[in-house]
Amino acid sequence: QVQFVESGGGLVQPGGSLRLSCAASGKISSIFVMGWYRQAPGKQRELVAGIRNSANTNYADSVKGRFTISRDNAKNTVYLQMNTLKPEDTAVYYCNAFPPRDFWGQGTQVTVSS
């Protein structure tokens, strides 16, 4: 079973940027849709961005125009470029297939605060 390891999170001021990476333990080329999810304290995990093998992308309204998802099947890696970050983007970010598989990685914490 493919497992995912997220990295790249941190503390950033409002308006700043971060680039998250998700390294898969196996081939992601067989996964039609890969996604980035996030879970804020006290809230349910939500899908924020998805990307198909065709490179077509979809975004949650809350991040549209600010986040960009990409995938490199040769490197078995998925990225999330996050710009113009807001305090409400604070959450633990995870990657997984869409629909998500049972196993979740540890996630990477993103904190947006001045």
Side-chain angles (χ1 to χ4, degrees):
Q1 177 171 313
V2 177
Q3 299 182 358
F4 306 107
V5 178
E6 303 89 351
S7 62
L11 173 64
V12 63
Q13 292 187 340
S17 298
L18 284 173
R19 188 191 193 208
L20 306 184
S21 297
C22 167
S25 62
K27 292 185 180 297
I28 64 170
S29 56
S30 61
I31 302 176
F32 183 60
V33 182
M34 285 294 302
W36 277 97
Y37 303 76
R38 70 185 180 188
Q39 186 167 21
K43 295 187 177 182
Q44 288 190 335
R45 189 175 291 161
E46 62 172 345
L47 177 70
V48 295
I51 183 167
R52 295 170 176 77
N53 263 326
S54 63
N56 286 346
T57 57
N58 292 94
Y59 299 92
D61 287 344
S62 59
V63 307
K64 201 170 293 183
R66 301 188 296 121
F67 290 11
T68 303
I69 187 172
S70 60
R71 65 191 290 171
D72 186 336
N73 286 353
K75 295 182 178 180
N76 295 313
T77 303
V78 184
Y79 304 97
L80 186 68
Q81 177 67 43
M82 305 187 296
N83 298 328
T84 320
L85 283 161
K86 304 176 180 180
E88 51 264 42
D89 295 318
T90 295
V92 179
Y93 284 71
Y94 305 86
C95 71
N96 205 325
F98 178 81
R101 299 184 174 182
D102 291 339
F103 178 82
W104 291 87
Q106 83 287 352
T108 186
Q109 175 71 48
V110 172
T111 303
V112 185
S113 175
S114 55

